[in-house]
C-alpha cells in the first residue's frame, strides 16, 4: 500500500504560502503558511497533521488490540498534542478516553502500551511518546 499527498509552496519561508492536497481529496489545496504554523493564522500545519495521524493510528491499533482480546471498545477518543520546539518535534502526547466494558485495568494498560509502541505512526516518529488515559 502507498499513500500520497502533495505540498506546493510559493515564496520565502516567512512570507510565502502553500497548500496541501491528498490523493483522497480530504485535503484539497488546504492552506498552510508561516502564520498557520508558528502563529495563529488560518490553515493547517505539519504538526497538526502529525497529531491527527498519530491520534487516529493509535486509536485504530488499540481497537484492534482490544478486539483481539475479546474486549471490543464502545468508544476510543484520543487527543494528540505535538510539542514542537527549536525546530524539532520533542513529544507526541496521546490523551485517551476509553469506554470498554469488562476489561481489567492491568489488561487495558498492557494493550494501551502495545498500541503506543506499535502503531505505525509511533514507529515512524523519532520522539518521546507519552500516553495518559482514563478508562470508563
Amino acid at each position: 500500500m502507498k499513500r500520497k499527498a502533495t505540498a506546493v509552496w510559493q515564496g520565502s519561508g516567512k512570507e510565502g504560502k502553500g497548500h496541501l492536497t491528498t490523493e483522497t481529496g480530504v485535503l484539497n489545496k488546504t492552506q498552510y503558511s508561516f502564520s498557520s504554523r508558528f502563529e495563529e493564522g488560518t490553515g493547517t500545519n505539519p504538526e497538526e497533521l502529525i497529531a491527527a495521524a498519530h491520534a487516529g493510528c493509535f486509536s485504530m491499533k488499540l481497537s484492534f488490540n482490544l478486539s483481539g482480546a475479546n474486549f471490543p471498545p464502545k468508544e476510543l477518543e484520543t487527543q494528540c498534542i505535538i510539542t514542537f520546539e527549536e525546530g524539532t518535534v520533542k513529544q507526541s502526547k496521546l490523551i485517551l478516553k476509553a469506554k470498554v466494558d469488562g476489561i481489567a485495568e492491568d489488561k487495558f494498560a498492557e494493550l494501551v502500551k502495545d498500541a503506543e509502541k506499535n502503531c505505525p505512526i509511533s514507529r515512524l516518529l523519532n520522539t518521546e511518546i507519552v500516553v495518559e488515559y482514563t478508562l470508563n
Side-chain angles (χ1 to χ4, degrees):
M1 171 181 9
K2 294 185 181 185
R3 302 287 187 232
K4 68 179 179 180
T6 303
V8 175
W9 187 263
Q10 298 167 328
S12 68
K14 191 165 185 175
E15 290 79 25
K17 62 182 179 179
H19 63 265
L20 304 166
T21 301
T22 58
E23 88 182 289
T24 62
V26 170
L27 298 179
N28 185 10
K29 295 187 177 180
T30 302
Q31 174 188 335
Y32 78 113
S33 65
F34 179 90
S35 178
S36 70
R37 189 170 192 188
F38 298 107
E39 298 167 352
E40 298 299 320
T42 303
T44 192
N45 59 70
E47 293 72 33
E48 178 180 67
L49 297 172
I50 292 167
H54 201 193
C57 186
F58 169 82
S59 296
M60 187 176 278
K61 174 63 175 161
L62 181 56
S63 178
F64 277 112
N65 288 356
L66 290 163
S67 297
N70 293 316
F71 297 102
K74 286 187 174 182
E75 182 175 271
L76 303 173
E77 177 186 312
T78 306
Q79 178 185 47
C80 180
I81 301 168
I82 294 293
T83 301
F84 183 65
E85 296 173 347
E86 302 167 2
T88 301
V89 173
K90 299 283 187 176
Q91 184 185 75
S92 181
K93 182 176 184 178
L94 299 163
I95 303 168
L96 169 67
K97 293 179 186 174
K99 294 179 184 172
V100 185
D101 290 336
I103 192 167
E105 180 80 25
D106 60 337
K107 181 64 174 177
F108 183 75
E110 172 191 325
L111 297 174
V112 166
K113 193 66 168 170
D114 179 79
E116 172 191 336
K117 293 195 176 307
N118 293 307
C119 88
I121 299 300
S122 288
R123 294 191 334 222
L124 173 70
L125 295 175
N126 183 24
T127 194
E128 176 187 25
I129 298 172
V130 176
V131 178
E132 295 177 1
Y133 67 83
T134 55
L135 175 60
N136 297 322

